[in-house]
Every structure is written in structure tokens, then in C-alpha cells.
């Protein structure tokens, strides 16, 4: 088998400006087949040869994934060539994709997790593209024209922005030769420089009132990093112990195991070329909201001040080193890891280097690192919850309807 991924940096929703959802819609249009065959016939022909061809976006990139059996490699690349040179950019395809995306956007507007996350993004990354809905709003999606899509794809699908990731049972030189006609057909005049967005330094809080019995608590803070290659192993262990390791984490142990306030509580450090921050979430009963928020603040504060124990460090090492085989069990995962290292400017085998550094990590070193990041305790909160007035009214009604005990 073989896999080819074309990563067009600058093709993601960071470039949507005031047309929220444009990059997502443009990527979905590439999943509608070619103008000659249409979506159904194009999909049928791929399926007959067990070829997979899918387009999606991330914050910064548009990526096209092609998977195939070795015997059909040339045909698979031919279909990729046809798709990019003659995509189904027709009014009918646009209307179909718009209807699907509007329905999805309407669903998300009633999803309280989505609302809490979006409002947190507005707090942490105000006045940046990250503060806007990547999936778009019903109004913004319906306002996108076919010309908007054509211009977006013309801008995104530029060879100056392309990174090719491929692997499997294939000859690299032969594959590149087969890709050459496609690559030569791409424009070559729009290099892209990755932006970096800082996180709000001042702790803030946004409460959104909805008719809900649960409080959806999302929180985040800055994370300042000077040297990614040097600090990544330390940040990974720090994140693991604080809140990303499930029942073994500090947050889960306090919020669920000891206090029984939530089914789960999670927090992790996010590091990329675009943002560096720490984010987390939990869901709890409305009446436990304030206590849960206070506990999150206290757990993070204590963690930064006191660091971790030798037992916690050993547990993190055991899990992170032991999970390495799972991280590389498939070709797709291995390619993703290599690309991630390359994209961050790290050695291609950095995952192995990182594990070796984690293996040799000393308690004094990790605790000094944790204490050097007091900004993580400057937490901003986005909470979707019930209006206190409505909550009081419902409580009064419930009390009024309760049966009266007679002595």
C-alpha cells in the first residue's frame, strides 16, 4: 500500500478573514469529485479500485490524502491530478455543500461544549482569526459564492506552499515523477509565512446562560516557550501529570476521585507554530460550578508552586515510554509523526530523541521547569450554565411541589 498527503500551508481557516467557513467549504468542494464525473461517479470509480481520496483542513493548512494499493498507484495519482485540475466547482455542488455545512453549524450552535470552547477562544485570542468559528455560521456560509471558493482554492493550491508527505511500499523517485504533471500545473507565486498568535495574559471570565442542568467549564492560560526542541519533553511530562493522563492526573484525582464533582476533568499544554497555551475543561452540575472553578484554580496553583512527586514522574515515564509502539502502529501515524517533527523544525526522528530525554529526566529538572511557568495559573474561564434567576425559580417550584410530611 501507499499513502500520499499534499499539505498546502496557508489553506486553513486562519485565512478566512470575514468569510467564516470559507476554507472549510472550499475543502469540502474538493470532496465532490470532478466536473466531468460529478461526486457519485467519481466516488464509484475510486471505490472500485479501493482508492481513498479525501480533503480536509486544519487551522493553517489544507491537506489532500490519497491512499491506494501499490498496483493502482499510477491510476490513483491520475485521479488526484484530475481532481485538482478540474474540481466539481458547480452551482449544484456548492448548494449541496452549503446545505450540509449550514445544518452542521446549526447543530453546533446548540452544542454547549462548542459554545464554551468558542467563547474561550474569544477570551484567549481576541482580535485574531482564532476567535472566529472555523465551521462558519449559517449566515456566513450562505453568503459564500462560487467565485469566493475558486479564489480561495487558487490562492491555497500553490506549489510554494506545498509539503509532500508520502510512505509505504513505493519508490520515491518514481512517485515524484508520476506527480510531476500535477505539480507543474500548480501556480507558483504565493509563499506563506506562518503567523503566531499570543495568548491573553490577563485572566478573564465569560459566562453564557443557557437552559442546561450542567455547567460546561472551559479554561485556558498562556504558556511561554523559548526553545521547543529543548523544552518539549519537559512540557509533555508536565502536561501529562497535570491534566492529560486521565485518572492519574492531578485534576482528575481532585475533581472526580476526591470531590466527585465531574465525570472527567482535563487539561493539556498545546504547542505549535501558531499558538502556545494550556487549555482544559470539565462538566459538572450547575450547583457545583463555583466550587469546581475554585478547585481548578487551586490545583493548578499548587501544581506550579510545588511541582510533582517522584512517583508521579515514574508513572509518567512508564506510560509515555510504553505507549510508543501504539504511536507508530500504522503507516498513517508514522507519517503524521514525521511531518509533525518536520513542520515544527525538529529532527525527523525527534519522537525517539524526546522519549530518550523523558527516560533520563530527573525530578529536580522537571520541578524547576514547572515552577518556571507561573503564567499557567493565570486562568481564563468560559462557562455555559443556567441563569441564577431561573435556577432559583426552578428550585422554588421544586420545593413547592414536594410532598408535605404529616406527623
Amino acid at each position: 500500500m501507499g499513502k500520499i498527503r499534499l499539505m498546502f500551508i496557508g489553506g486553513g481557516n486562519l485565512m478566512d478573514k470575514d468569510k467564516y467557513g470559507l476554507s472549510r467549504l472550499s475543502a469540502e468542494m474538493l470532496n465532490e469529485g470532478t466536473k466531468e464525473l460529478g461526486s457519485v461517479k467519481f466516488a464509484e470509480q475510486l471505490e472500485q479500485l479501493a482508492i481513498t481520496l479525501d480533503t480536509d483542513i486544519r487551522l493553517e493548512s489544507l491537506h489532500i490524502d490519497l491512499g491506494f494499493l501499490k498496483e493502482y498507484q499510477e491510476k490513483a495519482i491520475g485521479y488526484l491530478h484530475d481532481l485538482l485540475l478540474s474540481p466539481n466547482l458547480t452551482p449544484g455542488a456548492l448548494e449541496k455543500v452549503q446545505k450540509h455545512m449550514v445544518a452542521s453549524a446549526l447543530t453546533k450552535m446548540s452544542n454547549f461544549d462548542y459554545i464554551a470552547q468558542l467563547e474561550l477562544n474569544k477570551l484567549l485570542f481576541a482580535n485574531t482569526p482564532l476567535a472566529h468559528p472555523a465551521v462558519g455560521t449559517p449566515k456566513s456560509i450562505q453568503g459564500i459564492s462560487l467565485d469566493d471558493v475558486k479564489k480561495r482554492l487558487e490562492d491555497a493550491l500553490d506549489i510554494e506552499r506545498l509539503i509532500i508527505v508520502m510512505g509505504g511500499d513505493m519508490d520515491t523517485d518514481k512517485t515524484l515523477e508520476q506527480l510531476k504533471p500535477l505539480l507543474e500545473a500548480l501556480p507558483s507565486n504565493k509563499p506563506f509565512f506562518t503567523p503566531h498568535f499570543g495568548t491573553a495574559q490577563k485572566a478573564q471570565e465569560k459566562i453564557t446562560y443557557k437552559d442546561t442542568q450542567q455547567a460546561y467549564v472551559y479554561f485556558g492560560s498562556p504558556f511561554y516557550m523559548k526553545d521547543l526542541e529543548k523544552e518539549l519533553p519537559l512540557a509533555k511530562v508536565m502536561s501529562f501529570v497535570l491534566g492529560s493522563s486521565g485518572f492519574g492526573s492531578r485534576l482528575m484525582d481532585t475533581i472526580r476521585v476526591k470531590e466527585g464533582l465531574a465525570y472527567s476533568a482535563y487539561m493539556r499544554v498545546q504547542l505549535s507554530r501558531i499558538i502556545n497555551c494550556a487549555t482544559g475543561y470539565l462538566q459538572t452540575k450547575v450547583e457545583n460550578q463555583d466550587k469546581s472553578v475554585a478547585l481548578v484554580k487551586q490545583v493548578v496553583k499548587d501544581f506550579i508552586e510545588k511541582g510533582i512527586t517522584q512517583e508521579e514522574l515514574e508513572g509518567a515515564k512508564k506510560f509515555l515510554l510504553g505507549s510508543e509502539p501504539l504511536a507508530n502502529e500504522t503507516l498513517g501515524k508514522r507519517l503524521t509523526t514525521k511531518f509533525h517533527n518536520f513542520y515544527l523544525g525538529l529532527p525527523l526522528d525527534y519522537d525517539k530523541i524526546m522519549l530518550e530525554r523523558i527516560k533520563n529526566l530527573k525530578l529536580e529538572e522537571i520541578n524547576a521547569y514547572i515552577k518556571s511557568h507561573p503564567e499557567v495559573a493565570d486562568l481564563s474561564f468560559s462557562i455555559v450554565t443556567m441563569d441564577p434567576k431561573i435556577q432559583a425559580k426552578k428550585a422554588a417550584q421544586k420545593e413547592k411541589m414536594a410532598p408535605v410530611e404529616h406527623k
Side-chain angles (χ1 to χ4, degrees), residues 14 24 43 70 110-111 113 134 154 159 174 190-191 193 210 218 230 237 260 276 292 307 380 389:
L14 288 181
R24 168 67 61 188
K70 183 179 181 180
S110 60
N111 183 315
D113 281 298
E154 286 172 6
I159 198 168
K174 180 181 177 181
K190 298 184 183 76
F193 302 98
K210 296 289 182 179
Y218 279 64
K230 180 181 178 181
V237 172
N276 293 333
S292 298
S380 292
K389 295 179 181 178

Side-chain angles (χ1 to χ4, degrees), residues 50 55 61 160 182 194 256 276 298 313 337-338 343 364 385:
T55 304
S61 63
E160 294 289 337
L182 167 61
T194 303
R256 174 174 174 168
N276 293 333
Q298 190 60 52
L313 175 58
T337 298
K338 296 297 183 186
Y343 182 64
E364 297 78 12
T385 186

Side-chain angles (χ1 to χ4, degrees), residues 111-313:
N111 183 315
F112 297 153
D113 281 298
Y114 173 78
I115 293 171
Q117 179 66 73
L118 181 59
E119 294 301 323
L120 178 64
N121 289 347
K122 291 179 181 179
L123 294 179
L124 297 180
F125 306 107
N127 303 315
T128 77
L130 298 173
H132 304 306
V135 297
T137 64
K139 183 178 179 180
S140 69
I141 294 166
Q142 290 170 333
I144 294 172
S145 69
L146 204 54
D147 282 340
D148 292 329
V149 175
K150 291 177 180 178
K151 290 177 182 177
R152 183 71 189 99
L153 290 177
E154 286 172 6
D155 181 65
L157 301 177
D158 191 295
I159 198 168
E160 294 289 337
R161 302 179 173 192
L162 175 62
I163 299 172
I164 302 174
V165 184
M166 60 184 181
D169 186 8
M170 62 200 313
D171 180 277
T172 302
D173 293 334
K174 180 181 177 181
T175 302
L176 289 174
E177 189 64 31
Q178 291 174 343
L179 285 170
K180 190 175 180 180
L182 167 61
L183 301 180
E184 289 178 338
L186 295 175
S188 176
N189 52 19
K190 298 184 183 76
F192 182 78
F193 302 98
T194 303
H196 183 86
F197 302 108
T199 312
Q201 299 180 17
K202 184 179 179 181
Q204 306 169 71
E205 183 176 275
K206 172 66 182 296
I207 297 180
T208 305
Y209 294 123
K210 296 289 182 179
D211 185 11
T212 174
Q213 300 298 316
Q214 296 285 313
Y216 297 78
V217 182
Y218 279 64
F219 47 91
S221 58
F223 191 90
Y224 305 137
M225 176 170 285
K226 297 178 181 178
D227 187 333
L228 181 65
E229 184 172 357
K230 180 181 178 181
E231 296 182 46
L232 196 52
L234 295 157
K236 195 172 186 70
V237 172
M238 175 182 176
S239 179
F240 183 89
V241 178
L242 174 57
S244 67
S245 59
F247 280 99
S249 74
R250 288 282 186 90
L251 268 181
M252 182 74 96
D253 185 58
T254 302
I255 300 293
R256 174 174 174 168
V257 179
K258 293 180 180 177
E259 299 292 338
L261 295 175
Y263 180 77
S264 66
Y266 185 86
M267 186 174 184
R268 70 185 180 99
V269 175
Q270 297 189 60
L271 304 173
S272 72
R273 288 171 60 176
I274 302 170
I275 57 171
N276 293 333
C277 62
T279 59
Y281 67 86
L282 64 88
Q283 183 179 328
T284 187
K285 292 181 179 179
V286 170
E287 54 266 33
N288 294 332
Q289 170 188 314
D290 293 341
K291 183 178 180 181
S292 298
V293 169
L295 274 174
V296 169
K297 291 179 179 179
Q298 190 60 52
V299 168
V300 175
K301 182 175 180 292
D302 290 345
F303 180 84
I304 297 299
E305 291 178 352
K306 300 176 183 178
I308 67 176
T309 65
Q310 185 66 45
E311 183 180 1
E312 287 174 321
L313 175 58

Side-chain angles (χ1 to χ4, degrees), residues 45-76:
Q45 291 192 13
L46 294 180
E47 187 176 0
Q48 289 172 3
L49 301 177
I51 296 169
T52 59
L53 180 52
D54 181 65
T55 304
D56 203 353
I57 65 163
R58 298 176 180 174
L59 273 175
E60 188 183 356
S61 63
L62 179 149
H63 54 95
I64 303 171
D65 291 324
L66 179 67
F68 47 84
L69 298 173
K70 183 179 181 180
E71 59 191 290
Y72 298 128
Q73 175 176 320
E74 188 171 359
K75 288 185 177 181

Side-chain angles (χ1 to χ4, degrees), residues 392-407:
K393 185 177 180 180
K394 287 189 175 184
Q397 290 175 341
K398 187 176 180 181
E399 185 178 345
K400 187 177 180 181
M401 294 176 65
V404 179
E405 293 185 11
H406 298 282
K407 295 184 179 179

Side-chain angles (χ1 to χ4, degrees), residues 296-363:
V296 169
K297 291 179 179 179
Q298 190 60 52
V299 168
V300 175
K301 182 175 180 292
D302 290 345
F303 180 84
I304 297 299
E305 291 178 352
K306 300 176 183 178
I308 67 176
T309 65
Q310 185 66 45
E311 183 180 1
E312 287 174 321
L313 175 58
E314 294 305 321
K317 286 183 178 183
K318 185 176 181 181
F319 182 89
L320 294 172
L321 297 175
S323 63
E324 171 61 14
L326 294 177
N328 289 294
E329 64 180 347
T330 66
L331 173 61
K333 288 183 177 181
R334 291 194 292 275
L335 290 176
T336 297
T337 298
K338 296 297 183 186
F339 170 76
H340 185 70
N341 292 339
F342 171 80
Y343 182 64
L344 293 177
L346 302 168
L348 288 182
D349 63 344
Y350 183 77
D351 46 309
K352 296 179 180 179
I353 296 172
M354 179 170 64
L355 289 175
E356 188 64 26
R357 291 180 182 174
I358 290 174
K359 180 180 178 181
N360 297 321
L361 189 59
K362 304 297 183 184
L363 184 64

